Amino acid sequence: MSNFDEWRKELLHVGNIVQDSDNSVSPDESEQGFNRYIEMLDLLDGTEGSEYALAIFESIQAEHDYGAYQTAGRAAWLFGEDNFCMSLIQELPRLIKTFPDWAGDFMVSIANGEGTEHESVIKTFNRHLKSVSSDKQNVILEYINEQEKSGWFEHRVGVLGCNA
């Protein structure tokens, strides 16, 4: 992990989890890639730098992860709530467009902190959301608004966003 660029390149490769319907990769090779992805995430301790947290969210590239992306989320939390939120927000427009359920899953984990000892992450997320470009902000806010009506945030209306 001493060379971030090499580590990131490998993480992005193995993070593109081979789907069951993909017959172009042998089951053994698919399993090896999955296991390597988990291994790479498990080696992190949160001291490596914020660029690692961003790379974790960049590595989310498949609809079906077979449990791997929960490990990715836990690994991203090792970098603290500031890095977690900043990195997630940077990748949210892509996730919303390509994997909206993953976007919702990660964001609802933040919103569900309302009224708990984890409520500070909501404020951190909202603060960082206010600081990104209006283009990114608009995509994220539109998704939040849509999901508050009928979706991931219907039970957490008004929790996430620039006006929360």
Side-chain angles (χ1 to χ4, degrees):
M1 285 193 296
S2 61
N3 184 323
F4 170 73
D5 292 329
E6 288 178 17
W7 178 88
R8 179 181 176 274
K9 182 179 178 182
E10 183 179 1
L11 186 75
L12 294 179
H13 175 72
V14 294
N16 191 3
I17 307 296
V18 177
Q19 304 295 280
D20 284 342
S21 61
D22 184 351
N23 296 323
S24 68
V25 178
S26 75
D28 285 345
E29 187 179 344
S30 173
E31 184 177 351
Q32 287 172 357
F34 178 91
N35 290 339
R36 178 63 180 151
Y37 183 66
I38 300 299
E39 177 186 25
M40 291 180 75
L41 294 168
D42 283 344
L43 289 172
L44 298 170
D45 65 14
T47 63
E48 294 83 3
S50 60
E51 67 273 16
Y52 284 80
L54 178 59
I56 291 168
F57 287 113
E58 290 173 331
S59 75
I60 296 168
Q61 307 166 68
E63 182 178 352
H64 303 290
D65 69 315
Y66 314 107
Y69 295 156
Q70 287 78 7
T71 301
R74 285 191 300 275
W77 276 114
L78 294 172
F79 294 88
E81 67 183 44
D82 267 321
N83 287 323
F84 180 94
C85 291
M86 284 189 300
S87 299
L88 175 60
I89 288 169
Q90 290 302 311
E91 281 299 295
L92 273 176
R94 177 186 68 85
L95 290 173
I96 288 167
K97 180 180 178 186
T98 56
F99 303 109
D101 283 340
W102 283 117
D105 189 68
F106 286 115
M107 291 171 67
V108 81
S109 72
I110 294 169
N112 282 340
E114 183 181 42
T116 74
E117 68 271 12
H118 305 290
E119 195 157 8
S120 66
V121 74
I122 295 169
K123 292 178 179 133
T124 301
F125 179 88
N126 291 339
R127 179 172 40 85
H128 287 298
L129 182 58
K130 291 175 187 174
S131 69
V132 297
S133 72
S134 60
D135 289 346
K136 282 187 182 191
Q137 213 178 79
N138 290 338
V139 169
I140 296 166
L141 292 173
E142 184 177 305
Y143 180 77
I144 290 170
N145 196 25
E146 172 189 306
Q147 295 299 311
E148 284 180 341
K149 292 176 186 160
S150 174
W152 286 98
F153 313 121
E154 63 187 0
H155 68 292
R156 294 287 188 244
V157 174
V159 173
L160 299 179
C162 292
N163 297 322

